[in-house]
Amino acid sequence: DAGVIQSPRHEVTEMGQEVTLRCKPISGHDYLFWYRQTMMRGLELLIYFNNNVPIDDSGMPEDRFSAKMPNASFSTLKIQPSEPRDSAVYFCASSLNPGQANYGYTFGSGTRLTVV
Amino acid sequence: GEDVEQSLFLSVREGDSSVINCTYTDSSSTYLYWYKQEPGAGLQLLTYIFSNMDMKQDQRLTVLLNKKDKHLSLRIADTQTGDSAIYFCAEFSSGTYKYIFGTGTRLKVLA
Protein backbone atom coordinates (compact mmCIF):
# COMPACT_ATOMS: atom_id res chain seq x y z
CA ASP A 1 0.00 0.00 0.00
CA ALA A 2 1.59 3.27 -1.14
CA GLY A 3 -0.47 5.34 1.29
CA VAL A 4 -2.04 8.67 0.43
CA ILE A 5 -0.18 10.23 -2.46
CA GLN A 6 -0.05 13.97 -2.97
CA SER A 7 1.49 15.94 -5.80
CA PRO A 8 3.40 18.08 -6.22
CA ARG A 9 5.51 18.04 -3.03
CA HIS A 10 6.48 21.65 -3.52
CA GLU A 11 4.88 24.39 -5.57
CA VAL A 12 6.09 27.93 -6.03
CA THR A 13 3.84 30.22 -8.01
CA GLU A 14 3.28 33.88 -8.63
CA MET A 15 0.38 35.76 -7.17
CA GLY A 16 -2.64 35.59 -9.43
CA GLN A 17 -1.80 32.24 -10.96
CA GLU A 18 -3.97 29.16 -10.71
CA VAL A 19 -2.69 26.34 -8.52
CA THR A 20 -3.94 22.75 -8.54
CA LEU A 21 -3.04 20.29 -5.82
CA ARG A 22 -3.68 16.59 -6.31
CA CYS A 23 -4.42 13.68 -4.03
CA LYS A 24 -4.81 9.94 -4.48
CA PRO A 25 -6.40 8.36 -1.38
CA ILE A 26 -5.86 4.83 -0.17
CA SER A 27 -7.91 2.40 -2.19
CA GLY A 28 -11.14 1.53 -0.41
CA HIS A 29 -11.16 4.58 1.83
CA ASP A 30 -14.55 6.26 1.55
CA TYR A 31 -13.58 9.54 3.22
CA LEU A 32 -11.16 12.16 1.93
CA PHE A 33 -10.11 15.32 3.74
CA TRP A 34 -8.19 18.43 2.73
CA TYR A 35 -6.34 20.31 5.47
CA ARG A 36 -4.19 23.41 5.47
CA GLN A 37 -1.37 23.87 7.98
CA THR A 38 0.21 27.21 8.88
CA MET A 39 2.20 28.38 11.86
CA MET A 40 -0.43 30.96 12.73
CA ARG A 41 -3.58 28.89 12.39
CA GLY A 42 -2.37 25.32 12.86
CA LEU A 43 -4.32 22.59 11.08
CA GLU A 44 -7.53 23.72 9.43
CA LEU A 45 -10.04 21.40 7.82
CA LEU A 46 -10.99 22.85 4.44
CA ILE A 47 -13.39 20.26 3.07
CA TYR A 48 -14.18 16.58 3.25
CA PHE A 49 -15.80 14.08 0.92
CA ASN A 50 -17.68 10.87 1.55
CA ASN A 51 -18.03 8.52 -1.41
CA ASN A 52 -16.84 11.33 -3.72
CA VAL A 53 -19.56 13.72 -2.50
CA PRO A 54 -18.56 16.94 -0.67
CA ILE A 55 -20.07 16.76 2.81
CA ASP A 56 -18.68 19.77 4.63
CA ASP A 57 -16.95 22.66 2.90
CA SER A 58 -17.42 25.16 5.69
CA GLY A 59 -13.66 25.50 6.09
CA MET A 60 -13.01 26.60 2.53
CA PRO A 61 -11.67 30.14 2.94
CA GLU A 62 -13.40 31.82 0.03
CA ASP A 63 -14.57 31.42 -3.52
CA ARG A 64 -11.02 31.31 -4.78
CA PHE A 65 -10.79 27.78 -3.38
CA SER A 66 -12.55 24.83 -4.94
CA ALA A 67 -12.24 21.07 -4.51
CA LYS A 68 -13.44 18.16 -6.60
CA MET A 69 -13.45 14.41 -6.35
CA PRO A 70 -14.41 13.06 -9.78
CA ASN A 71 -13.84 9.45 -8.72
CA ALA A 72 -12.85 7.36 -5.71
CA SER A 73 -9.16 7.50 -6.50
CA PHE A 74 -8.55 11.17 -7.20
CA SER A 75 -9.21 14.59 -5.75
CA THR A 76 -8.04 18.10 -6.55
CA LEU A 77 -7.87 21.34 -4.61
CA LYS A 78 -7.67 24.41 -6.82
CA ILE A 79 -6.85 27.99 -5.89
CA GLN A 80 -7.63 30.63 -8.49
CA PRO A 81 -6.30 33.27 -8.29
CA SER A 82 -3.63 32.49 -5.71
CA GLU A 83 -2.48 35.05 -3.13
CA PRO A 84 0.60 35.18 -0.87
CA ARG A 85 -1.57 34.47 2.19
CA ASP A 86 -2.42 31.08 0.67
CA SER A 87 1.16 29.97 1.31
CA ALA A 88 0.94 26.91 3.56
CA VAL A 89 1.31 23.15 3.62
CA TYR A 90 -1.78 21.44 2.26
CA PHE A 91 -2.49 17.92 3.43
CA CYS A 92 -4.82 15.33 2.06
CA ALA A 93 -5.98 12.51 4.33
CA SER A 94 -8.22 9.52 3.82
CA SER A 95 -10.09 7.20 6.15
CA LEU A 96 -12.13 4.03 5.91
CA ASN A 97 -14.52 5.30 8.57
CA PRO A 98 -13.62 8.16 10.92
CA GLY A 99 -16.33 6.97 13.29
CA GLN A 100 -14.32 3.83 14.05
CA ALA A 101 -11.48 4.70 16.40
CA ASN A 102 -8.95 2.22 15.19
CA TYR A 103 -9.11 3.52 11.61
CA GLY A 104 -8.08 7.09 12.19
CA TYR A 105 -6.81 9.16 9.31
CA THR A 106 -3.94 8.39 6.97
CA PHE A 107 -2.23 11.56 5.87
CA GLY A 108 -0.27 12.25 2.74
CA SER A 109 3.13 13.94 2.90
CA GLY A 110 1.64 17.29 1.98
CA THR A 111 2.20 19.94 -0.67
CA ARG A 112 4.18 22.99 0.40
CA LEU A 113 2.75 25.94 -1.50
CA THR A 114 4.56 29.23 -1.74
CA VAL A 115 2.88 32.14 -3.48
CA VAL A 116 5.21 35.02 -4.25
CA GLY B 1 -17.69 25.59 20.90
CA GLU B 2 -15.05 23.07 19.96
CA ASP B 3 -11.49 23.97 20.85
CA VAL B 4 -8.46 21.78 21.56
CA GLU B 5 -5.50 23.41 23.29
CA GLN B 6 -1.93 22.31 23.82
CA SER B 7 1.25 23.92 25.03
CA LEU B 8 3.47 24.84 22.09
CA PHE B 9 6.87 23.55 23.17
CA LEU B 10 8.43 20.88 25.37
CA SER B 11 12.10 20.09 25.79
CA VAL B 12 13.41 16.98 27.58
CA ARG B 13 16.67 15.10 27.89
CA GLU B 14 17.16 11.75 26.22
CA GLY B 15 16.09 8.93 28.54
CA ASP B 16 13.69 11.10 30.55
CA SER B 17 9.91 10.87 30.35
CA SER B 18 7.91 13.37 28.33
CA VAL B 19 4.40 14.43 29.20
CA ILE B 20 2.36 16.30 26.61
CA ASN B 21 -0.92 17.78 27.74
CA CYS B 22 -4.13 18.65 25.95
CA THR B 23 -7.47 20.14 26.94
CA TYR B 24 -10.64 19.87 24.93
CA THR B 25 -14.13 21.27 25.25
CA ASP B 26 -16.48 18.97 23.36
CA SER B 27 -17.88 16.62 25.99
CA SER B 28 -19.60 14.54 23.30
CA SER B 29 -16.28 13.40 21.85
CA THR B 30 -16.30 9.67 21.40
CA TYR B 31 -12.60 9.13 20.84
CA LEU B 32 -9.46 11.10 21.48
CA TYR B 33 -6.27 10.65 19.52
CA TRP B 34 -2.60 11.43 19.48
CA TYR B 35 -0.83 12.02 16.18
CA LYS B 36 2.87 12.57 15.50
CA GLN B 37 4.27 14.79 12.75
CA GLU B 38 7.92 14.47 11.82
CA PRO B 39 9.62 17.20 9.78
CA GLY B 40 8.44 17.34 6.19
CA ALA B 41 5.85 14.62 6.70
CA GLY B 42 2.16 14.25 7.30
CA LEU B 43 0.57 13.31 10.60
CA GLN B 44 0.82 9.72 11.73
CA LEU B 45 -1.65 8.10 14.12
CA LEU B 46 0.12 7.12 17.34
CA THR B 47 -2.65 5.95 19.59
CA TYR B 48 -6.23 6.61 20.63
CA ILE B 49 -8.44 6.22 23.66
CA PHE B 50 -12.17 5.74 24.00
CA SER B 51 -13.95 8.39 26.00
CA ASN B 52 -15.12 5.79 28.54
CA MET B 53 -11.54 4.81 29.42
CA ASP B 54 -9.17 6.43 31.91
CA MET B 55 -5.89 5.04 30.71
CA LYS B 56 -4.33 3.19 27.82
CA GLN B 57 -0.78 1.89 27.59
CA ASP B 58 0.99 0.95 24.39
CA GLN B 59 4.69 0.11 24.82
CA ARG B 60 6.43 3.40 25.73
CA LEU B 61 3.23 5.41 25.36
CA THR B 62 0.69 5.99 28.13
CA VAL B 63 -2.48 7.97 27.50
CA LEU B 64 -4.41 9.38 30.45
CA LEU B 65 -7.90 10.81 30.15
CA ASN B 66 -9.67 12.91 32.76
CA LYS B 67 -13.17 13.40 31.43
CA LYS B 68 -14.27 15.58 34.31
CA ASP B 69 -11.57 18.14 33.52
CA LYS B 70 -11.55 17.38 29.78
CA HIS B 71 -7.83 16.76 30.01
CA LEU B 72 -5.82 14.34 27.93
CA SER B 73 -2.13 13.57 28.29
CA LEU B 74 0.49 11.53 26.45
CA ARG B 75 3.46 10.19 28.38
CA ILE B 76 6.47 8.91 26.47
CA ALA B 77 8.78 6.81 28.60
CA ASP B 78 12.53 6.71 27.94
CA THR B 79 12.30 9.50 25.36
CA GLN B 80 14.65 9.10 22.40
CA THR B 81 15.97 11.62 19.88
CA GLY B 82 13.74 9.96 17.29
CA ASP B 83 10.74 11.09 19.32
CA SER B 84 11.48 14.71 18.41
CA ALA B 85 8.43 15.85 16.45
CA ILE B 86 5.18 17.77 16.74
CA TYR B 87 2.46 15.94 18.64
CA PHE B 88 -1.20 16.69 18.02
CA CYS B 89 -4.14 15.65 20.10
CA ALA B 90 -7.46 15.39 18.34
CA GLU B 91 -11.04 14.69 19.28
CA PHE B 92 -13.63 13.04 17.11
CA SER B 93 -16.98 14.74 17.34
CA SER B 94 -19.86 12.41 16.60
CA GLY B 95 -22.02 15.50 16.17
CA THR B 96 -20.08 16.98 13.26
CA TYR B 97 -18.47 13.65 12.27
CA LYS B 98 -15.04 15.17 11.98
CA TYR B 99 -11.82 15.56 13.90
CA ILE B 100 -10.79 18.70 15.72
CA PHE B 101 -7.00 18.93 16.02
CA GLY B 102 -5.10 20.74 18.71
CA THR B 103 -2.46 23.34 18.03
CA GLY B 104 0.37 20.82 18.33
CA THR B 105 3.24 20.53 20.83
CA ARG B 106 6.78 20.60 19.46
CA LEU B 107 8.87 18.09 21.43
CA LYS B 108 12.62 18.53 21.35
CA VAL B 109 14.77 15.75 22.79
CA LEU B 110 18.24 16.77 23.87
CA ALA B 111 21.03 14.23 23.64
Side-chain angles (χ1 to χ4, degrees), chain B residues 17-20 57 60-64 73-77:
Chain B
S17 293
S18 308
V19 180
I20 302 171
Q57 188 152 1
R60 293 191 296 122
L61 305 178
T62 302
V63 179
L64 295 177
S73 68
L74 174 70
R75 178 177 180 269
I76 306 173

Side-chain angles (χ1 to χ4, degrees), chain A residues 44-107:
Chain A
E44 302 174 276
L45 176 64
L46 301 178
I47 185 171
Y48 82 89
F49 296 83
N50 179 24
N51 291 322
N52 315 335
V53 176
I55 302 300
D56 185 343
D57 65 354
S58 59
M60 295 287 264
E62 48 199 275
D63 292 345
R64 296 185 298 107
F65 286 69
S66 62
K68 294 183 180 179
M69 192 164 186
N71 56 63
S73 59
F74 184 66
S75 177
T76 59
L77 178 67
K78 185 178 294 187
I79 309 172
Q80 165 63 21
S82 58
E83 297 182 3
R85 62 192 167 117
D86 301 330
S87 296
V89 180
Y90 291 81
F91 287 103
C92 175
S94 71
S95 177
L96 186 58
N97 184 352
Q100 295 294 319
N102 53 323
Y103 291 134
Y105 286 10
T106 301
F107 280 80

Side-chain angles (χ1 to χ4, degrees), chain B residues 16-51:
Chain B
D16 288 350
S17 293
S18 308
V19 180
I20 302 171
N21 295 302
C22 170
T23 57
Y24 62 98
T25 56
D26 187 359
S27 58
S28 69
S29 294
T30 314
Y31 316 110
L32 295 126
Y33 299 84
W34 285 102
Y35 280 79
K36 177 184 181 182
Q37 184 182 29
E38 296 182 351
L43 280 70
Q44 176 188 7
L45 177 63
L46 272 182
T47 188
Y48 64 90
I49 188 169
F50 288 97
S51 59

